[in-house]
Amino acid sequence: MKRIITIVFIFSVMAGSLNAQDQEKDFYTLQFDELDTIQGKMGVIQNAIAEGEATAEFFAHALDTLLREYPDLNRATELKTADDMAQLLAAQLGEAQYADAGPNLWKVVETFSNPLARAEALTSLGKVQAAEYLPHVVQLLSDLNIEPGEDPLVREQVAYGAITGLEEYKDSSGYLPVFFVSTGWYSDRLKSRAREALPKIMDNPTEPLLSVIRSSSYNYAVKYSALQTLEAADITTQQKSQGAVASLTEAWRTNTNTVSQRSILTSTRKLSLSMIRRYGTEDTNVYPLLERCYREGVDEEEQIAAIAALSALATDDSARRLSSFLYDMNTRLGRGTLTKEDERMIRVIIPALGNTGRPLARNALRSVLQADWTGAVQRLAQDALKKIQ
């Protein structure tokens, strides 16, 4: 009799324990687990979201269950509901910043083919700061950047999620993959989204962008975009000028007969010249490059930009080169080979030389007064000489 009482007591304790465990489950989890169909489970999730009282643990439990049951689903309606459920649960876990969800969020990316579900999971990986999956997100976006594939829209949708996820991670390893979206095969909408994300991923992108500018692995258009991105970044003027000198160097390193590529190289040089004029530089390697822009530039705009950059640097080196340009003009005047373009350019060179304020500019400016220039040109030289102390 005692044995029977003992057994009854043990079962009573076990039953009480199980009942307590059930009570520990929240209302939504109990409802969710009682339903057999995925459509029913989806209804519980939708109610939980609408009422706003469910815990992150419930959404994590629901996602774990979905991933376990997903391989057994085969009807089109079930698979569609599963896609929608994965997207909803990933979003909820991301908003809750539920760190333990990382493994299952990555399983969604690997398991589901639906691009919206995958994109939401990628976004949420960044929101929950699942550091162990950051390299996977970086690699996934890098792979997408290679080509549009058979269905570009699907790849764009997934890429959008990866961009947003990397924006949330705020890790430097995500910067270049997102940058390459902005220069890649994608639609203008996604390129714009990538450009918007870049400053949020990395405060100072000087190092990765310089690596693109200096690398032989990227085409002229990508290098030009890197310079534009560097110019727009919230970094020091010294860092911007560093990028400008690097870009000017690369733009003169190679030659091409392709019209479109030559146009990009010209735009690169002109932007570099503008940046050097505005931000300055202490890199003495820039002077031969500036002279080359003047002597071999594609048009007057580039020549004038080179003169302006030399004038703004206001060093002995820049005054020396501007003086040589002026002496060349004197020579052409004496030989009678002066062109209309030369006559316009002399009116740019003289004030630029005076604005350097360098004493060694005096001789070149005085030579204008001794040559057979018009009164207007000589007056420019006189005004320039007054600026030199």
Side-chain angles (χ1 to χ4, degrees), residues 134 137-138 141 162-163 166-167 169-180 198 201-202:
L134 171 60
V137 179
V138 168
L141 185 57
I163 291 168
L166 292 172
E167 181 181 68
Y169 271 115
K170 293 178 172 54
D171 188 274
S172 61
S173 65
Y175 189 88
L176 283 184
V178 175
F179 167 75
F180 290 129
L198 287 174
I201 294 173
M202 196 173 182

Side-chain angles (χ1 to χ4, degrees), residues 9-224:
F9 176 75
I10 291 172
F11 275 104
S12 175
V13 171
M14 290 176 61
S17 176
L18 291 173
N19 184 56
Q21 289 177 13
D22 283 342
Q23 290 177 353
E24 286 177 2
K25 291 184 179 180
D26 62 44
F27 172 73
Y28 299 109
T29 302
L30 288 170
Q31 275 195 323
F32 184 87
D33 288 345
E34 285 176 359
L35 295 169
D36 294 328
T37 67
I38 191 167
Q39 287 85 0
K41 292 178 183 291
M42 180 64 159
V44 174
I45 292 170
Q46 289 173 326
N47 287 338
I49 294 172
E51 293 168 5
E53 295 180 358
T55 64
E57 286 77 8
F58 161 67
F59 295 120
H61 170 74
L63 182 58
D64 192 59
T65 302
L66 172 63
L67 287 166
R68 286 200 315 270
E69 296 178 352
Y70 184 74
D72 297 327
L73 302 178
N74 46 46
R75 294 180 182 177
T77 54
E78 291 179 330
L79 292 171
K80 173 64 170 62
T81 302
D83 289 340
D84 294 341
M85 185 185 294
Q87 185 179 351
L88 279 177
L89 292 172
Q92 292 301 310
L93 291 166
E95 288 302 314
Q97 298 182 339
Y98 190 68
D100 292 342
N104 277 346
L105 288 171
W106 182 249
K107 284 181 184 177
V108 171
V109 177
E110 291 186 308
T111 304
F112 284 74
S113 59
N114 181 274
L116 298 179
R118 299 180 72 204
E120 197 66 62
L122 287 164
T123 295
S124 292
L125 280 166
K127 288 182 177 179
V128 305
Q129 292 293 297
E132 65 270 36
Y133 297 102
L134 171 60
H136 300 327
V137 179
V138 168
Q139 187 60 55
L140 183 148
L141 185 57
S142 297
D143 292 341
L144 290 172
N145 288 344
I146 295 172
E147 60 179 0
E150 295 181 359
D151 196 336
L153 177 59
V154 167
R155 292 171 73 86
E156 278 211 353
Q157 289 172 325
V158 177
Y160 189 98
I163 291 168
T164 308
L166 292 172
E167 181 181 68
E168 294 289 342
Y169 271 115
K170 293 178 172 54
D171 188 274
S172 61
S173 65
Y175 189 88
L176 283 184
V178 175
F179 167 75
F180 290 129
V181 171
S182 72
T183 65
W185 57 263
Y186 303 94
S187 66
D188 289 341
R189 171 180 171 272
L190 197 64
K191 288 180 179 180
S192 176
R193 175 68 184 90
R195 287 191 290 270
E196 177 187 299
L198 287 174
K200 299 175 184 176
I201 294 173
M202 196 173 182
D203 292 334
N204 184 355
T206 304
E207 184 176 342
L209 291 176
L210 277 176
S211 73
V212 171
I213 291 169
R214 290 169 173 161
S215 174
S216 60
S217 302
Y218 306 112
N219 61 39
Y220 306 136
V222 171
K223 289 171 178 280
Y224 179 47

